[in-house]
Amino acid sequence: MTTSNVVLVSPLYALSLLLLLLPFFSKVLALSAPRTFLVRHSDNHFESNGIWTSTGNRETSSKRSTTNHSYQLWRETYHTIANPLGTNLVAINTTTTTIQVNALLAIKKSIQIDPFGALANWTNEENSTYCSAWKGVDCDEMGNVISIKLTDLRLNGTINSKIGNLMHLSYLNMSGNSLFGNIPFELMKCRNLVAVDLSFNYLDGELSAGYIYTLPKLEFMRLSYNSFSGLLPEVPENSCYSLTNLRITYTNLFGAIPSSLNRCKNLTALLLDFNQLNGSIPTSFGDLHQLVVLVLQGNQLTGNIPNELASLKNLQILVLGYNNLEGPIPTWLGGITSLVKLYLGVNQFTGNIPSQLAFLKNLQILVLENNYLQDSIPTSLGGITSLVQLWPANNRLAGEIPIELGSLKKLEVLDLQTN
């Protein structure tokens, strides 16, 4: 082989080698790229972008098994709080700094077990770095603590009442730990709170209305998967202006759902599933015109679906399964054309399947199983071309399977058994 041939072949060989290695380099680059986490668990598959992280490692499989027709809620984003104190620090009030450092140290002191050493550098000796180096702490340019994010760290202990001294705190996420005891009343002093997530812990005691409704800037509150007891508190007058998301699921709350929740006029998501709530669905919920998601399944609710809910024209997800609701399925449900997922299974509904449901042109999942529905399957359901899942199993339906269902080109699940 001549020298000129070597010069010609070498670049071709190098190019071939590069093509062979390209998938490997692509994978390495993908692994090193920043990640955006999407939290997914059974009651609210939604949060993220830095503030919220997955807490699915502590889900109870037995409870998940009752939600086989899983639903993914729409997504909202709480933006990551960047720490602006990397280099230059604006003059900080030393008294304010001392108060905040002492509050953080008190929070650490109330943690009895820290298996990963997450709070190891939360010490007096390193108190000058509380904004830049203490795990889970973010500050504004004045050195005020505005965010605490300590998730999935198996921290065992209580929430210290000194947390109320963090007057500028806007975001608090301590989900996915083993915290127990009450939510301290002193949290009420944090008047700048926007989002609170204390889910997947062992917090107990009764809830006070003050924690949920009266913080003036609070938009998001999730207390799911805890051991609270007692009643869901009433909403005081002239409160609950900012709350858009209230999620208290898989706890031990009992009693009637307060009709005063209609004072939370800006609610877009209300999830109270798998508690021990009883009584009827409040007719006052018809005032919550911003609702996109209403989930009340897994309780002991009785009575009819109130006609007042017909005014919820923005509703996309309605989940009322696993209750003792009765009466006919309302025909007016066909007028909530924004519905994407409708779960009415495992109740005591009677009568027929309303043909008016065919007006739900955006509907993807319709669950009607385990009721006492009679007559035939409406041929009009074949017009809901967006349907992906149809579950009318375990009823008293009769007649033929409508040939019109053959036009449901997106249908993946059709369960007609035990009719």
Side-chain angles (χ1 to χ4, degrees), residues 113-391:
I113 301 174
D114 179 6
F116 302 126
L119 309 182
N121 69 334
W122 285 33
T123 64
N124 259 323
E125 290 74 19
E126 300 187 43
N127 62 16
S128 62
T129 65
Y130 73 97
C131 283
S132 59
W134 287 19
K135 183 176 180 63
V137 177
D138 280 304
C139 300
D140 62 16
E141 68 278 1
M142 298 300 296
N144 297 309
V145 176
I146 57 175
S147 173
I148 294 178
K149 183 185 120 181
L150 299 169
T151 61
D152 300 309
L153 296 172
R154 301 182 188 175
L155 300 175
N156 183 289
T158 60
I159 302 175
N160 194 284
S161 61
K162 290 293 180 66
I163 196 170
N165 290 340
L166 301 175
M167 307 290 287
H168 299 271
L169 190 65
S170 295
Y171 298 87
L172 175 64
N173 188 352
M174 299 182 74
S175 62
N177 288 293
S178 296
L179 302 175
F180 57 89
N182 295 320
I183 301 175
F185 181 79
E186 287 77 7
L187 195 63
M188 280 297 300
K189 294 162 62 178
C190 302
R191 307 296 286 174
N192 289 298
L193 274 172
V194 173
V196 175
D197 189 347
L198 300 174
S199 60
F200 288 90
N201 281 290
Y202 299 101
L203 297 170
D204 53 26
E206 296 187 2
L207 290 176
S208 166
Y211 299 133
I212 303 173
Y213 308 123
T214 62
L215 291 168
K217 298 181 181 179
L218 190 65
E219 297 178 12
F220 176 90
M221 171 72 86
R222 183 168 68 166
L223 303 176
S224 302
Y225 291 87
N226 277 290
S227 301
F228 299 116
S229 60
L231 304 173
L232 185 64
E234 296 281 348
V235 181
E237 292 186 18
N238 302 315
S239 66
C240 206
Y241 296 118
S242 301
L243 195 64
T244 61
N245 287 265
L246 178 60
R247 300 162 184 260
I248 311 177
T249 71
Y250 287 96
T251 69
N252 298 316
L253 296 177
F254 59 84
I257 300 174
S259 60
S260 57
L261 277 170
N262 71 334
R263 291 171 176 161
C264 303
K265 299 295 186 185
N266 290 308
L267 272 180
T268 57
L270 176 60
L271 293 91
L272 301 173
D273 46 312
F274 291 100
N275 283 286
Q276 301 177 43
L277 301 170
N278 55 34
S280 58
I281 299 172
T283 59
S284 63
F285 279 10
D287 298 331
L288 299 175
H289 300 300
Q290 304 301 318
L291 267 185
V292 176
V293 176
L294 177 60
V295 182
L296 302 175
Q297 73 172 346
N299 285 290
Q300 301 165 21
L301 301 177
T302 56
N304 300 328
I305 302 176
N307 293 333
E308 287 77 4
L309 298 192
S311 64
L312 304 182
K313 299 302 184 182
N314 292 311
L315 204 60
Q316 295 180 22
I317 298 175
L318 177 60
V319 184
L320 302 177
Y322 296 92
N323 279 293
N324 297 308
L325 299 171
E326 58 188 9
I329 295 175
T331 58
W332 51 256
L333 281 171
I336 306 181
T337 55
S338 55
L339 276 173
V340 176
K341 299 174 184 180
L342 176 60
Y343 293 76
L344 302 177
V346 196
N347 276 290
Q348 299 177 30
F349 292 117
T350 54
N352 56 17
I353 300 175
S355 60
Q356 290 85 349
L357 296 182
F359 295 121
L360 302 177
K361 299 302 183 182
N362 297 306
L363 196 65
Q364 297 176 10
I365 299 178
L366 176 58
V367 178
L368 302 171
E369 64 180 1
N370 289 91
N371 282 291
Y372 299 101
L373 301 175
Q374 300 176 352
D375 297 332
S376 59
I377 299 173
T379 59
S380 60
L381 295 188
I384 311 177
T385 56
S386 55
L387 265 184
V388 178
Q389 298 183 26
L390 176 58
W391 302 78

Side-chain angles (χ1 to χ4, degrees), residues 40-42 45 64 66-73 297 341 343 365 367 389 391:
R40 303 193 64 194
H41 75 70
S42 62
H45 312 275
R64 282 179 62 91
T66 62
T67 55
N68 290 330
H69 315 303
S70 61
Y71 46 91
Q72 179 169 353
L73 305 184
Q297 73 172 346
K341 299 174 184 180
Y343 293 76
I365 299 178
V367 178
Q389 298 183 26
W391 302 78

